[in-house]
Amino acid sequence: MHSSVPRKNLVEIFDQITREITPQATGIRLRPDSAGPEGEIYTVFILFEKGFHMALSICAEKSMFIRTAQFMMQTEEISRQDIEDVAKEYINVLCGHFASRLFQLTRTPARFSVPAFHEGRCALDGHQEDIVLTYSGDRDEHVQLIHHVPLEAVPDSLS
C-alpha cells in the first residue's frame, strides 16, 4: 500500500465506497456481517500495478454475482460468462472509486490490471490478506472485500 494512508483510513474508504457504490451498480444493499461466503463461491480480483502496492478481491456467493448480472443486464437469463463479465465490471467500478479517493488523499495516481475471475476462493500468489470486510446482502448473500498486500511489504512480525 502507500505509507501515507493509515490502515484505519483504508478500512473507512473501502467500507464507505463499497456500501455506497454496490447498491447503485448491483441493486444489492450491503450490511456488515461476520459470516463469510459459503457454498458455491466466486472470486474476482485486481492488482494495482502503479501507485499502490496492493490487490483487491471480491469473494462472494454465486447468488450475489447472479443478482448483480441480472441487475446490470436487466434480464433473468444469465450465463456463466455473463456472471464473469459483470463481476469484472463491478470490481473495475469499485477500484476506480478507490483509486480516485486515494488520489485525493495522496496525489498518487494508480493504475490497475485487467480483473481476473475464478471459481472458489482464490488466494493471490505473493500476497497476504490484510483487510477483510464482510457483508451480507438484502437476500442474505455473503460477500467479502479483501485488501491484499505483497508478502515483501508485510513486517516480519506478521509473516
Side-chain angles (χ1 to χ4, degrees), residues 10-23:
L10 277 179
V11 170
E12 290 171 2
I13 290 167
F14 292 151
D15 180 58
Q16 179 188 16
I17 290 172
T18 300
R19 291 202 285 154
E20 181 179 299
I21 299 303
T22 298

Side-chain angles (χ1 to χ4, degrees), residues 38-42 60-63 119-120:
E38 295 181 344
E40 193 169 359
I41 59 176
Y42 296 131
E61 294 170 357
K62 181 180 179 181
S63 60
E119 292 185 22

Side-chain angles (χ1 to χ4, degrees), residues 75-157:
T75 183
E76 293 294 313
E77 297 298 316
I78 300 298
S79 70
R80 161 73 171 62
Q81 188 62 50
D82 294 335
I83 292 170
E84 180 176 336
D85 293 344
V86 166
K88 289 177 178 180
E89 183 59 28
Y90 172 52
I91 199 167
N92 262 329
V93 169
L94 283 178
C95 286
H97 284 272
F98 296 147
S100 176
R101 181 74 57 83
L102 293 172
F103 179 78
Q104 291 170 2
L105 293 173
T106 66
R107 294 295 183 229
T108 301
R111 180 176 43 204
F112 40 88
S113 68
V114 173
F117 184 86
H118 294 278
E119 292 185 22
R121 188 172 189 96
C122 180
L124 303 181
D125 289 337
H127 287 77
Q128 176 175 309
E129 292 182 4
D130 179 45
I131 297 169
V132 179
L133 300 175
T134 304
Y135 303 98
S136 61
D138 45 23
R139 292 189 192 158
D140 291 325
E141 53 272 273
H142 294 89
V143 59
Q144 290 179 317
L145 174 73
I146 305 166
H147 170 255
H148 307 263
V149 293
L151 288 174
E152 64 267 10
V154 177
D156 290 338
S157 62

